[in-house]
Amino acid sequence: MNSAAIAASSNEASRLGGLWRRLTGHARSGVDALPMHLPVHLGGAGVTQTRAAPVRVLGFDQALLWVTVALLAWGLVMVYSASIAIGDNPRFARANFQETYFLTRHAISLTVAFIAALLAFQVPMRNWERAAPWLFIISLLLLVAVLIPHIGKSVNGARRWIPLGITNFQPSELAKLAMVLYAASYMVRKMEIKERFFRAVLPMGIAVVVVGMLCLAEPDMGAFMVIAVIAMGILFLGGVNARMFFVIATLVVVAFGMIVASSPWRRERIFAYLDPWSETNALGKGYQLSHSLIAIGRGEIFGVGLGGSVEKLHWLPEAHTDFLLAVIGEEFGLVGVLAAIVLFLWMTRRIMHIGRQAIALDRVFSGLVAQGIGVWIGFQTFINMGVNLGALPTKGLTLPLMSYGGSAIIMNLIALAIVLRIDYENRVLMRGGRV
């Protein structure tokens, strides 16, 4: 080829390169450019674009992060409002609680939880998958340890906490996260035989039964319910046969019914739920429920104002933990309750969407983990709100991200950090990067 032909080919390549840059610049404005190495062959002359634009990832779901922060901030304010009068309660006279006692401890828990969440976000999902069986074993050992005298701490007849000096740790909260990771890992390993009951489902059922027996020994039936629903949800989302799933669900419902029927004080709670206003129940097992309904009724549409709750003044027990929504309903009214419902509903839906996105990218473990966390937060929120509103029997479950409780806050934030990590890795893969 003569020099004139080579020059013409070079000019043609330059024009095509400029056209390509203009097209991609207009078509991809505002979106991160992928690395490009596009060879162009013109008349035997090879022209290659060798400069590659770096992959710049947008990070993670900003909306999910800010909704989480909003719920945490609102929860901090409401914990302070609900617990400010506890120091005046004769029951806690010996403890000599200050007005800011629970506020300070809750703020410390949030700080520790944020640090733990930042560390959890740095861990790639492949490492979480490898660690899943070990975390499950550790959670089982801690559930056993909490039942040992002089190790576990008993409060109101329940042995659920391990004292750690400045705070107490609740192993059942770790067991929820461990079950999410272990069940997701288990389904990935059993994907080829998921249609076979005895080889795929039965071992997972045995693991749930072991955890359930340890939780009921504390006793903590609420945690067992959440853990069982997490396991069942991941089995269903992992593709277990629908008929097999409904058989498992029926067995679980029957098992819970037998547990309630065999426990006199659990039966009393059910009867109190059915008629909380009777003289016997209103002063007994239905006391919390009746005062929760009074608090929500006083709030009406717009509430009595922040700090104006009367029920938190020694009438409603555990107002800063299990019945925080009742104080929200009294101080912010129907508007406040609906706002909390919408925020949690949006959060759960968004987490499930991130999980579906991961599965679409052929990251089954990550997808099942995200959806398992969505089931966990959504189901526990549903139970807590149902109890506060009188739609469900009283059960000792806190409102995620908002109620007072260091172990729950830490585990909730670590779980959400894992969801954000999954979303981050999804975005990296969709932009041609590696994780």
Side-chain angles (χ1 to χ4, degrees):
M1 182 180 294
N2 57 30
S3 59
I6 293 175
S9 298
S10 300
N11 291 334
E12 184 68 21
S14 298
R15 288 199 300 275
L16 288 174
L19 177 62
W20 172 257
R21 285 191 295 272
R22 288 195 299 274
L23 287 174
T24 55
H26 289 295
R28 297 172 55 85
S29 60
V31 182
D32 304 312
L34 294 175
M36 300 177 195
H37 301 276
L38 302 176
V40 181
H41 298 277
L42 296 173
V47 180
T48 304
Q49 183 178 343
T50 56
R51 292 188 61 185
V55 176
R56 182 174 58 85
V57 181
L58 292 177
F60 46 80
D61 195 313
Q62 300 287 327
L64 179 59
L65 174 64
W66 286 113
V67 168
T68 302
V69 171
L71 287 171
L72 291 171
W74 193 8
L76 182 65
V77 173
M78 294 313 301
V79 165
Y80 181 44
S81 177
S83 64
I84 193 170
I86 288 181
D88 298 330
N89 193 324
R91 288 178 55 198
F92 304 103
R94 293 183 180 181
N96 194 26
F97 289 142
Q98 301 296 319
E99 293 180 352
T100 58
Y101 176 81
F102 290 99
L103 172 66
T104 303
R105 292 174 68 86
H106 194 64
I108 293 173
S109 297
L110 286 177
T111 303
V112 173
F114 271 119
I115 295 172
L118 287 173
L119 294 176
F121 181 79
Q122 306 303 318
V123 180
M125 290 308 300
R126 61 179 179 273
N127 292 349
W128 284 113
E129 186 172 6
R130 285 196 292 264
W134 299 106
L135 283 174
F136 185 70
I137 292 173
I138 291 171
S139 68
L140 288 179
L141 294 176
L142 290 174
L143 287 173
V144 172
V146 78
L147 299 175
I148 300 174
H150 308 298
I151 294 180
K153 180 181 179 180
S154 179
V155 178
N156 295 330
R159 190 179 294 274
R160 303 176 185 175
W161 297 269
I162 296 177
L164 300 176
I166 60 174
T167 187
N168 298 320
F169 180 72
Q170 193 169 356
S172 59
E173 294 296 333
L174 175 62
K176 296 173 186 176
L177 178 61
M179 179 56 75
V180 170
L181 296 169
Y182 178 72
S185 171
Y186 179 86
M187 284 306 300
V188 170
R189 288 184 278 113
K190 300 293 183 179
M191 194 61 69
E192 295 180 357
I193 58 171
K194 62 185 178 182
E195 299 293 332
R196 303 178 185 178
F197 179 82
F198 288 102
R199 293 186 62 186
V201 179
L202 188 59
M204 190 69 213
I206 293 173
V208 174
V209 169
V210 171
V211 174
M213 291 175 63
L214 293 172
C215 287
L216 290 175
E218 296 181 5
D220 192 352
M221 187 175 176
F224 177 35
M225 288 177 58
V226 174
I227 290 170
V229 169
I230 288 171
M232 289 176 55
I234 291 179
L235 286 176
F236 180 75
L237 295 168
V240 170
N241 183 278
R243 287 178 297 179
M244 192 184 304
F245 173 80
F246 284 116
V247 169
I248 298 169
T250 302
L251 292 175
V252 170
V253 171
V254 171
F256 279 119
M258 293 176 63
I259 291 170
V260 172
S262 62
S263 174
W265 63 274
R266 289 194 177 102
R267 290 201 306 271
E268 290 178 7
R269 279 190 171 185
I270 297 296
F271 294 140
Y273 155 71
L274 295 174
D275 186 13
W277 303 109
S278 69
E279 183 177 352
T280 303
N281 292 332
L283 298 176
K285 293 296 183 181
Y287 182 82
Q288 283 179 303
L289 176 56
S290 60
H291 281 277
S292 174
L293 294 175
I294 291 171
I296 292 173
R298 286 192 73 247
E300 297 184 350
I301 302 298
F302 298 104
V304 298
L306 179 61
S309 169
V310 172
E311 285 297 319
K312 70 184 181 184
L313 304 177
H314 318 320
W315 293 103
L316 178 61
E318 308 299 334
H320 60 303
T321 55
D322 299 354
F323 285 87
L324 190 68
L325 186 71
V327 180
I328 292 175
E330 186 175 3
E331 297 189 351
F332 291 93
L334 176 65
V335 173
V337 173
L338 289 178
I341 292 173
V342 169
L343 287 174
F344 278 108
L345 182 63
W346 183 92
M347 172 180 283
T348 303
R349 181 179 178 277
R350 180 58 193 157
I351 292 172
M352 300 298 285
H353 173 74
I354 291 172
R356 290 196 302 270
Q357 194 175 54
I359 292 175
L361 293 169
D362 201 25
R363 304 174 64 233
V364 179
F365 171 75
S366 297
L368 290 178
V369 168
Q371 293 182 333
I373 292 171
V375 170
W376 167 13
I377 292 178
F379 179 73
Q380 186 163 330
T381 301
F382 171 77
I383 293 296
N384 178 273
M385 290 184 170
V387 167
N388 278 258
L389 297 172
L392 295 171
T394 304
K395 185 53 57 192
L397 285 174
T398 59
L399 185 61
L401 301 174
M402 297 187 73
S403 292
Y404 175 81
S407 301
I409 288 290
I410 292 171
M411 291 301 118
N412 289 162
L413 283 191
I414 289 176
L416 288 172
I418 293 174
V419 173
L420 292 175
R421 176 72 196 193
I422 294 169
D423 183 61
Y424 165 78
E425 292 187 0
N426 288 348
R427 293 168 186 250
V428 170
L429 290 173
M430 286 190 293
R431 287 165 175 78
R434 294 182 179 181
V435 295

